[in-house]
Amino acid sequence: MMQLQVPLVNLAVTTGEPAGIGPEVSIVAAKQFLAEQPNAIITLLGDRDLLEAVDKNHLNASERLQTQAIPLVAPVQAGVLNHQNAQYVINTLNQAIDGCMDGRFDAMITAPIQKSVMNLAGTAFTGHTEYLAGRCKKNHVVMMLCATLPRGFLNLKASRDLRVALVTTHLPLQEVSAALTRERILETIQIVQHDLRTKFAIPNPVIRVAGLNPHAGESGYLGREEIEIIGPVIESAKKLGINVSGPYPGDTMFDPASLEAVDAYIAMYHDQGLAPFKFVTFGDGVNVTLGLPIIRTSVDHGTALDIAGKGIADSGSMLEALRLAYQLALNQKKKA
């Protein structure tokens, strides 16, 4: 019986804030991933001298581990931020995005950056998700966190992927309600459903949507967003053939029993979705940007300046981000 050949997948890794743990976890995870996956090539985007200082042998580790050299603007000291290197971080992102858009890379994986440094340098930057949307000329993209929960955890009969998407991302809490328009919520549901089908290869994804207020508004007593906005949008999505339900109270939506059947949960705001997600995933989560013409995954942690340069950073989230990016890219290639 003839065995089908698995296509080669080219992954680009932006190594993040140069003073943080990004360069370290990028190299360690890349080596580990390539050892387990023979059908991948990884290109690290960053300053060659910086990467060699982190791991002097990384360029010789494998012919499938390459570097796309992008020079630093100013010298780097581990754990010490320098806003002069904000443009360097932007350059790594731009080259990875452009490489994905023109087909040189099949997916990009991003190490953590320091938003405060970007803004101090005069670059209005609220996060990777928003920057990618602007660069790819998309008005609406969706942040979704993913992690695999093992068999037995919360009495799961088999391992199960937990996915949590957000309607709003990096907004002050007092601005969330005004941002929850019918159009935005419906587009979020549609983007999640579309990408779960096309990128995650889930034929008929099951989606749960949270309310905004405590007890999902308790019939209007604690707020009317569920009655006037969220509930009607969910009904509209159902009429479009989307397998979606809600609005659920935020404190009960993540019912352990639902994990067996639900493919994605949609929260109204950042901490409503990510606090429970990160509590049960213990730093192994992966951030995926949905609604882009390219594949992008990322770690779910920050720059960890306090341990940068000490060789003790956990590369687990970066490894999972590489694994997921590879699988999503493979799914796309199989469809082509």
Side-chain angles (χ1 to χ4, degrees):
M1 188 174 184
M2 191 168 68
Q3 195 171 13
L4 292 175
Q5 186 175 4
V6 178
L8 192 66
V9 174
N10 288 281
L11 303 175
V13 177
T14 60
T15 51
E17 165 55 50
I21 63 171
E24 177 185 341
V25 298
S26 297
I27 293 169
V28 172
K31 286 184 176 182
Q32 187 172 343
F33 178 76
L34 291 175
E36 67 185 37
Q37 182 49 256
N39 295 303
I41 294 174
I42 293 177
T43 301
L44 301 174
L45 282 74
D47 184 87
R48 189 182 297 273
D49 291 337
L50 173 65
L51 297 177
E52 288 181 349
V54 174
D55 182 351
K56 295 179 181 178
N57 299 315
H58 89 273
L59 292 177
N60 301 320
S62 166
E63 61 183 12
R64 294 184 293 118
L65 181 59
Q66 304 172 1
T67 300
Q68 184 165 317
I70 299 173
L72 286 162
V73 176
V76 168
Q77 180 181 344
V80 180
L81 297 172
N82 187 337
H83 71 272
Q84 293 181 63
N85 281 318
Q87 187 58 50
Y88 160 80
V89 175
I90 292 293
N91 291 343
T92 65
L93 290 174
N94 289 345
Q95 291 195 31
I97 295 167
D98 292 347
C100 288
M101 294 288 281
D102 65 25
R104 287 184 295 116
F105 302 130
D106 297 310
M108 64 180 286
I109 302 92
T110 56
I113 60 174
Q114 193 80 15
K115 300 183 189 72
S116 59
V117 168
M118 314 293 282
N119 286 283
L120 278 174
T123 301
F125 196 95
T126 53
H128 275 112
T129 303
E130 296 82 358
Y131 187 80
L132 283 157
R135 184 77 179 181
C136 294
K137 296 180 171 57
K138 290 290 182 179
N139 292 326
H140 188 180
V141 298
V142 175
M143 177 190 292
M144 185 170 78
L145 274 287
C146 309
T148 301
L149 301 179
R151 179 179 178 273
F153 184 75
L154 297 175
N155 296 316
L156 286 173
K157 296 174 183 175
S159 64
R160 182 70 180 168
D161 290 328
L162 172 64
R163 304 181 187 92
V164 180
L166 305 176
V167 176
T168 63
T169 52
H170 303 109
L171 279 182
L173 196 55
Q174 65 181 359
E175 296 179 16
V176 169
S177 180
L180 295 177
T181 63
R182 290 192 179 196
E183 293 78 13
R184 184 176 188 86
I185 298 171
L186 181 58
E187 284 179 4
T188 300
I189 294 170
Q190 291 175 306
I191 289 169
V192 170
Q193 192 251 12
H194 176 271
D195 279 20
L196 287 178
R197 291 180 61 194
T198 59
K199 293 180 179 177
F200 287 78
I202 301 172
N204 184 30
V206 177
I207 300 169
R208 273 193 174 196
V209 178
L212 172 67
N213 299 294
H215 304 174
E218 201 165 302
S219 300
Y221 177 70
L222 296 175
R224 297 193 57 83
E225 286 88 350
E226 289 79 8
I227 294 172
E228 298 174 359
I229 302 172
I230 304 170
V233 167
I234 292 171
E235 293 307 310
S236 297
K238 288 179 180 178
K239 291 176 182 177
L240 295 174
I242 300 174
N243 192 350
V244 60
S245 60
Y248 293 90
D251 60 346
T252 59
M253 180 172 74
F254 298 95
D255 171 17
S258 73
L259 291 169
E260 303 278 2
V262 175
D263 295 300
Y265 301 83
I266 298 179
M268 290 296 117
Y269 58 93
H270 188 279
D271 286 10
Q272 183 188 50
L274 299 196
F277 175 89
K278 293 190 176 184
F279 180 72
V280 299
T281 57
F282 304 107
D284 290 330
V286 178
N287 185 351
V288 185
T289 307
L290 307 181
L292 292 172
I294 63 176
I295 294 168
R296 178 260 176 167
T297 67
S298 179
V299 297
D300 73 341
H301 58 73
T303 53
L305 297 169
D306 56 324
I307 60 170
K310 298 180 180 179
I312 59 174
D314 185 350
S315 60
S317 183
M318 177 59 81
L319 178 59
E320 292 301 326
L322 285 164
R323 287 171 174 161
L324 182 56
Y326 172 84
Q327 187 57 56
L328 298 183
L330 203 59
N331 290 343
Q332 296 279 77
K333 285 178 175 287
K334 288 177 179 177
K335 282 174 47 189

